[in-house]
Amino acid sequence: MDSFDYVIVGAGSAGSVLANRLSEDPNVSVCVLEAGPSDWHPFIHIPAGFMYTLVNPRVNWLYTSEPSEWTGGRRIAAPRGKTLGGSSSINGHIYNRGQRLDFDGWAQRGNHGWGYADVLPYFRRTEQRIADVPDAIDETFRGNEGKLPITDLDWRDPLCEAFIEGAVQMGIPRNRDYNGTMQAGVSYVQRVIRNGRRVSAARAFLYPAMKRPNLTVRTHAQATEIVLEGKCATGVRYRKGGRNGRQLEVRAIKEVILCGGTVNSPQLLQVSGIGPAPLLLSLGIAVKHALPGVGENLRDHYAPRFVARVKNAMSINERSHGLRLVGEVLKYVVSRKGILALNPTLIYVFWKSDERVDNYDLQLTFTPASYKEGVQSTLDDFPGMTIASWQQRPDSTGYVRARSADPFEAPLIQPNYLAAESDRRVLLAGMKLARRLLGSQPLAKYYDREEFPGAEKRSDDDLLTAAKQRGTTTFHLMGSCRMAPDSDPTAVVDDQLRVRGLEGLRVVDASIMPTMPSANLNASVLMIAEKAADMIRGRPALEAVVLKD
């Protein structure tokens, strides 16, 4: 049996960062187990390839959520990366941190050291901010020496420009940096793409570290059980090559660190006998450590989308067919530009559902393209543009639960989208704002008609019905191994990310988030892993930033 100081389960965003940071110490050994293959697939690295990785079982777990009332009984796809880089190898490339109040809220819940001033230095440590206008970079908030390049979208077209101008005319200001002083406003997106290629966490953090002799990365190695000796995690059992592969075991001298993500981390805990006792007993799993919160508190962003037909301009839909597509492929090969270098969302809006709200609780996205049935893997056959809206900090919670003792069987995923009335109220405000933005005067010459849900659908009931019919995930599952103090009965990890009541076991991924950030999650996961690396190595935390109110 092989032994390493640290065994990391999962080579996604968190696992890649931890592998890099922990292996900086030449006196320790690190092993990373990744269930998926290497990130060789070319569609991982071409930005527009996300349309294919979203539905490719070679690099995607292809999970689906359970049906629910507010999805109209539909199962919603829940893509998760299954390759080096994890979901950072198949996501929409966006870099978005959230608001100060998100992380201050984590600290106020009793998680010491997780306020915004505490985590900002770790956000800065991850990134190399590359801006079109260098003097737009505020070094109080942005880093320039990290491993992850954050670039500005360089695409410009009449539809995007008209949309932004329409938002400005409605009182939504342009924002030069939504990851800086203030999130609110409208802007083109910041993204993790450089020279027309995706920069996943694997490319930024894992591959440079793999040159070190003290780091071992094993692909096609699916963890099946955390090995416990009493109340101490001592290793991981895994199968090499899938369900019928060889069963192997690797020993952890210091720690086992779960970085499997919001779905896989709680499932692995549960099939290992760590989780809610009633669930484990119902599945015939011996309870080794009862922990009621494992798999609970799941949240996700749920987004309905308005689709409009375009006139007097060319949308991405037309550029993606026939000879135009051939031209776009050639353009990408020669210059790394064109539609193949684009991410799915081009413009962000952060705004309020109500003027009386003292924070920005809506996120909207715009792109000059549209998708069949709202699924981001097949473009419509007509000229189209799309705007989506969602509540930034949903109150609805769900769960991730193993279906059986078999670690190869996909777990139950139930986000309970829109179950909370507050979520439906804010979502309605977002949908109405989205429709006003599509109807703005600058967009009028390009706006033909509303394709979905249709201009005649005006009432609140009509809009909620549309949300049921075509609302989808924005791929931001989090919270299923919540970080919280002992006083919280749903706590899974403490503020050092140690699994409560056990030794030698931590969880470091989006599952530990106590509440949903007002953002896409990848930036925060990278930050969490950077901060966790210092905790694990016994280093003092980076000095908190002193911020002006």
Side-chain angles (χ1 to χ4, degrees):
M1 184 194 311
D2 292 335
S3 294
F4 298 86
D5 290 300
Y6 300 104
V7 176
I8 298 171
V9 179
S13 293
S16 295
V17 171
L18 281 176
N20 185 294
R21 295 305 185 189
L22 296 181
S23 65
E24 284 177 340
D25 181 352
N27 298 313
V28 303
S29 55
V30 181
C31 178
V32 180
L33 303 177
E34 169 54 47
S38 179
D39 61 342
W40 62 269
H41 201 292
F43 285 144
I44 289 175
H45 308 291
I46 299 170
F50 77 91
M51 293 178 63
Y52 302 97
T53 58
L54 278 180
V55 294
N56 187 339
R58 293 184 178 181
V59 297
N60 191 329
W61 290 95
L62 294 182
Y63 292 133
T64 58
S65 65
E66 296 301 296
S68 65
E69 177 185 0
W70 291 98
T71 65
R74 295 177 298 133
R75 293 179 177 272
I76 303 297
R80 301 284 93 188
K82 187 181 182 181
T83 181
L84 297 183
S87 293
S88 76
S89 289
I90 69 167
N91 68 8
H93 318 276
I94 298 298
Y95 188 81
N96 180 13
R97 295 175 179 175
Q99 301 175 32
R100 296 189 195 187
L101 64 87
D102 299 324
F103 306 101
D104 288 342
W106 291 8
Q108 289 161 9
R109 287 174 170 266
N111 299 298
H112 178 72
W114 290 91
Y116 182 72
D118 303 303
V119 303
L120 178 55
Y122 289 101
F123 276 119
R124 293 191 311 198
R125 191 164 83 177
T126 64
E127 73 172 19
Q128 180 188 6
R129 176 72 176 111
I130 304 167
D132 290 341
V133 183
D135 63 3
I137 300 175
D138 185 340
E139 294 184 0
T140 300
F141 295 94
R142 308 311 301 268
N144 58 18
E145 297 180 356
K147 300 179 185 298
L148 196 74
I150 312 300
T151 60
D152 292 319
L153 178 69
D154 57 3
W155 175 274
R156 297 292 183 271
D157 75 15
L159 290 167
C160 290
E161 292 293 305
F163 178 86
I164 290 176
E165 182 57 31
V168 171
Q169 289 185 11
M170 289 173 54
I172 301 173
R174 293 176 185 262
N175 187 343
R176 287 168 48 155
D177 187 359
Y178 58 79
N179 290 309
T181 307
M182 175 72 72
Q183 186 188 61
V186 59
S187 70
Y188 285 99
V189 297
Q190 294 175 26
R191 59 198 200 141
V192 191
I193 294 173
R194 189 172 195 178
N195 298 326
R197 291 175 62 84
R198 177 195 296 274
V199 184
S200 69
R203 292 288 156 167
F205 295 93
L206 187 61
Y207 274 94
M210 286 170 66
K211 300 173 184 177
R212 300 170 185 154
N214 61 334
L215 174 61
T216 299
V217 177
R218 296 177 179 174
T219 55
H220 302 284
Q222 183 165 340
T224 57
E225 184 180 357
I226 301 162
V227 179
L228 294 177
E229 294 181 6
K231 294 293 184 180
C232 181
T234 59
V236 177
R237 293 193 180 101
Y238 67 98
R239 285 196 180 271
K240 179 71 173 177
R243 180 188 292 276
N244 299 316
R246 280 193 304 150
Q247 180 167 292
L248 301 167
E249 184 175 326
V250 60
R251 186 171 182 82
I253 299 168
K254 293 186 176 182
E255 290 191 25
V256 173
I257 308 166
L258 303 189
C259 299
T262 298
V263 175
N264 290 7
S265 285
Q267 183 192 19
L268 181 58
L269 288 167
Q270 291 167 2
V271 298
S272 302
I274 304 165
L279 171 66
L280 303 187
L281 292 171
S282 73
L283 300 175
I285 300 171
V287 180
K288 298 178 181 177
H289 183 62
L291 204 55
V294 173
E296 302 302 303
N297 302 302
L298 178 68
R299 285 179 168 87
D300 190 17
H301 288 135
Y302 184 75
R305 291 172 166 83
F306 286 89
V307 176
R309 283 188 179 248
V310 168
K311 64 181 181 180
N312 301 324
M314 186 181 298
S315 74
I316 291 172
N317 296 7
E318 303 97 282
R319 299 175 191 266
S320 302
H321 295 95
L323 291 176
R324 288 195 181 103
L325 179 58
V326 173
E328 291 290 341
V329 171
L330 292 174
K331 183 188 299 184
Y332 182 79
V333 169
V334 171
S335 67
R336 292 290 188 265
K337 294 184 181 297
I339 65 170
L340 270 67
L342 293 179
N343 35 290
T345 293
L346 305 190
I347 294 173
Y348 267 9
V349 176
F350 302 98
W351 205 240
K352 296 181 178 184
S353 63
D354 189 307
E355 282 304 314
R356 294 167 293 184
V357 173
D358 61 1
N359 57 65
Y360 295 88
D361 57 355
L362 287 176
Q363 183 170 337
L364 300 93
T365 64
F366 174 82
T367 193
S370 62
Y371 304 90
K372 292 184 183 294
E373 296 299 316
V375 178
Q376 291 178 300
S377 56
T378 307
L379 289 163
D380 277 321
D381 298 323
F382 56 82
M385 55 184 171
T386 304
I387 184 168
S389 58
W390 62 88
Q391 183 189 7
Q392 297 237 63
R393 295 175 293 280
D395 294 320
S396 304
T397 59
Y399 53 80
V400 175
R401 294 174 185 164
R403 293 178 190 267
S404 72
D406 180 1
F408 288 91
E409 184 174 7
L412 291 164
I413 303 170
Q414 179 53 277
N416 284 324
Y417 294 118
L418 303 184
E421 188 279 332
S422 57
D423 290 356
R424 300 194 294 274
R425 184 178 66 251
V426 174
L427 185 71
L428 278 170
M431 295 179 77
K432 292 172 183 177
L433 174 59
R435 185 173 260 167
R436 292 197 302 274
L437 285 165
L438 278 181
S440 71
Q441 187 276 327
L443 263 180
K445 65 180 178 180
Y446 305 118
Y447 178 93
D448 188 356
R449 67 176 185 270
E450 186 174 293
E451 191 71 19
F452 183 84
E456 74 281 4
K457 306 295 186 183
R458 307 301 301 180
S459 71
D460 288 359
D461 286 345
D462 287 340
L463 294 178
L464 287 175
T465 297
K468 280 186 176 183
Q469 290 174 338
R470 284 205 195 176
T472 61
T473 176
T474 58
F475 319 117
H476 303 157
L477 294 166
M478 49 70 64
S480 55
C481 294
R482 172 186 269 176
M483 172 175 61
D486 280 329
S487 57
D488 187 333
T490 68
V492 176
V493 299
D494 64 13
D495 56 22
Q496 300 293 301
L497 309 188
R498 299 171 296 205
V499 175
R500 293 194 172 276
L502 295 175
E503 296 180 6
L505 182 61
R506 295 190 209 228
V507 181
V508 183
D509 54 35
S511 72
I512 68 92
M513 295 179 177
T515 56
M516 176 72 82
S518 309
N520 313 60
L521 299 187
N522 194 52
S524 291
V525 171
L526 297 167
M527 173 276 291
I528 289 167
E530 286 278 13
K531 187 169 173 61
D534 281 351
M535 294 173 176
I536 294 166
R537 297 178 67 179
R539 290 183 160 189
L542 296 180
E543 185 176 352
V545 177
V546 177
L547 295 169
K548 298 177 181 178
D549 292 335

